[in-house]
Structure formats: structure tokens, C-alpha cells
């Protein structure tokens, strides 16, 4: 919710929210949480579904951090140039959950969005880019919004890792948890979406519905339908939180 002056009066308007999923199936799962049908709008470099009545704009931003960042940046820039900037970006979709902390079908909301593989491998182990003197490896969503999202949806708050490679072995899963003891989930876009949002000073949230355990590759164990249903349910509960969220409450 944003306070604005209109003809000498102070009025409030809902924060404009952009939800960035990886693929159309995730975007459509979010859209199903809203009663009114969303309408498609083409932008340079991105296509949006607009949920009417102050609902969010939905973007299928692509798989992986690079394409997700590029598409999110295009949508943010288009909105800013049109004079209607977004006040919040939500990275959302399915993800891997670290067992036993985030079981299949459960939800995770990121209190930290961390790039798991952005750095350098050395003889003494992995060094994040920050240790090399560059950039950032973690974005932190507004804590009050994380708490409100967790309360409304039942999502567990914790670190969500972003990687360009899906973990496929127990060894890699254990290594990631050793490096990131608060990690609950892994996905491929959150950090890219967060980098695009941070570049324009827009806060970010990440919500994942767990479709598979992080660990040995086992495609038969994926529960994509269950995770997409959990995503729809979560956005039904999250919508009023987003509508009433005050960006100054950090
Ligand atoms: O082929 C495989 O074994 C495999 C296992 C898990 C996920 C994939 C994907 O290609 C999914 C990519 C897509 O879904 C998100 N996602 C879902 N589960 C995970 C995961 O365990 N680790 C990372 N990403 C995951 C991801 O954000 C992508 O959008 C293939």
C-alpha cells in the first residue's frame, strides 16, 4: 500500500506487484489464485499477464538466473518508463526442498536469497564472489513481509539457494547444507530476479512450493502437480498480505 497526495488529499493505493515465475505452468498456477481472469500484455522483451482489480502482474521470466534477471529487468523498466513502477517483485515457483526440513508439497519463503555457485573454486574450497571483492551473493527480503507471508501461507522461512545446475547427488546436497546451514530449498531463478529488482531499488520476496527433494536425481519422485496446487493455494492466502503491505515496513 502506497500513500499518495491526490487533489490535496492523502489517499492510499496498493503496491504494484510483479510475480516472476520461470515457466508458464507456474505463472498460470499463480493466476488461478485470483477470481478474475488475467489479460495478456506484450512488452519489449517480456509478456505479462495482468490480474485485474489491483492484483499482481505475472511474468513467465524463463528458466535459470540469467534469463530470469533479463526478463524481470525488462518488465521493471517498462513499468518505470510508463510511470507505474512496481513496489515489489516476487520470485515464485516450484523448487527442490532439503529433506527433512522442507518436504515435498510444503512451502518455503526466503529470508535470504543466495547464489550457491557464484564464485571461484580453489584448492581450499569454494570462495563466494564477495570474498573475491565483487558484487553480492545474498539478497534479503523485507523481514516483516517474510513473517507476514509465512504466517499467511504456512511457508517455512529460510534460505533459498539459486543455482544454474539442479543438484543431482546426495554429496552435492550435503555440501550445500554444510555451506548454507539455513538452506531449506533450491531453485534456479530467485537470485537473478533479486539482482534485477535490487538494481532498480525494488524489494523482493521468494516463495517456493517443493516439488522434489534436493539430492539424488529421481525424476519419478517429482510431484509437480502437487507443488503447483500448493502454489495456487499459497497465492490465494498471500494476495491480501501483498495488497496491504506497506513498503516502509521493512
Ligand atoms: O532432470 C532432473 O533431474 C531435474 C530435477 C529437478 C528439477 C529439474 C528442472 O529442470 C526444474 C527446473 C525448474 O524447476 C525449479 N526446480 C524444481 N526443483 C528444483 C531443484 O531441485 N533444484 C533446482 N531447481 C528446481 C527451477 O527453479 C527451474 O525453474 C530437473
Amino acid at each position: 500500500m502506497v500513500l499518495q497526495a491526490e487533489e490535496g488529499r492523502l489517499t492510499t493505493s496498493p503496491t504494484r506487484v510483479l510475480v516472476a515465475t520461470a515457466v508458464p505452468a507456474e505463472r498460470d498456477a499463480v493466476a488461478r489464485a485470483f477470481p478474475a481472469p488475467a489479460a495478456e500484455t506484450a512488452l519489449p522483451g517480456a509478456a505479462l499477464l495482468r490480474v485485474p482489480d489491483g492484483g499482481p502482474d505475472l511474468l513467465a521470466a524463463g528458466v535459470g538466473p540469467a534469463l530470469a534477471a533479463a526478463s524481470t529487468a525488462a518488465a521493471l523498466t517498462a513499468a518505470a518508463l510508463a510511470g507505474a513502477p512496481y513496489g515489489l517483485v516476487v520470485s515464485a515457483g516450484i523448487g527442490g526442498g532439503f529433506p527433512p526440513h522442507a518436504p515435498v508439497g510444503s512451502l518455503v519463503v526466503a529470508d535470504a536469497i543466495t547464489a550457491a555457485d557464484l564464485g571461484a573454486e580453489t584448492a581450499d574450497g569454494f570462495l563466494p564472489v564477495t570474498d573475491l571483492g565483487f558484487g553480492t551473493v545474498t539478497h534479503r527480503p523485507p523481514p516483516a513481509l517474510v513473517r507476514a507471508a509465512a504466517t499467511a501461507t504456512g511457508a517455512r522461512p529460510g534460505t533459498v539457494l539459486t543455482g544454474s545446475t539442479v543438484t543431482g547427488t546426495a554429496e552435492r546436497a550435503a555440501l550445500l547444507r554444510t555451506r548454507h546451514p539455513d538452506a531449506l530449498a533450491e531453485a534456479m531463478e530467485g537470485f537473478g530476479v533479486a539482482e534485477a529488482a535490487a538494481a532498480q531499488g525494488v524489494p523482493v520476496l521468494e516463495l517456493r512450493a517443493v516439488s522434489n527433494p534436493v539430492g539424488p536425481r529421481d525424476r519419478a519422485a517429482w510431484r509437480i502437480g502437487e507443488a503447483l496446487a500448493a502454489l495456487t493455494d499459497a497465492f490465494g492466502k498471500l494476495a491480501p498480505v501483498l495488497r496491504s503491505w506497506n513498503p516502509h515496513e521493512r
Side-chain angles (χ1 to χ4, degrees), residues 21-23 26 62-65 91-98 161-168 185-190 206 208-220 222 224:
T21 66
V23 295
E26 294 167 316
V63 173
S91 170
I94 63 171
F98 285 93
L161 300 178
T162 302
S164 294
T165 306
V166 175
T167 295
E186 170 190 90
M188 300 175 77
E189 295 82 24
E206 182 172 7
R208 292 283 162 186
V210 176
S211 54
N212 57 278
V214 178
R217 185 162 192 240
D218 177 9
R219 293 207 66 149
W222 283 33
I224 292 183

Side-chain angles (χ1 to χ4, degrees), residues 8 10 15 35 65-66 76 106 120 135 144 151-152 155 159 177 183 191 208 211:
L10 282 180
T15 301
L76 286 168
S106 71
T151 303
T159 299
R177 276 282 300 184
F191 186 77
R208 292 283 162 186
S211 54

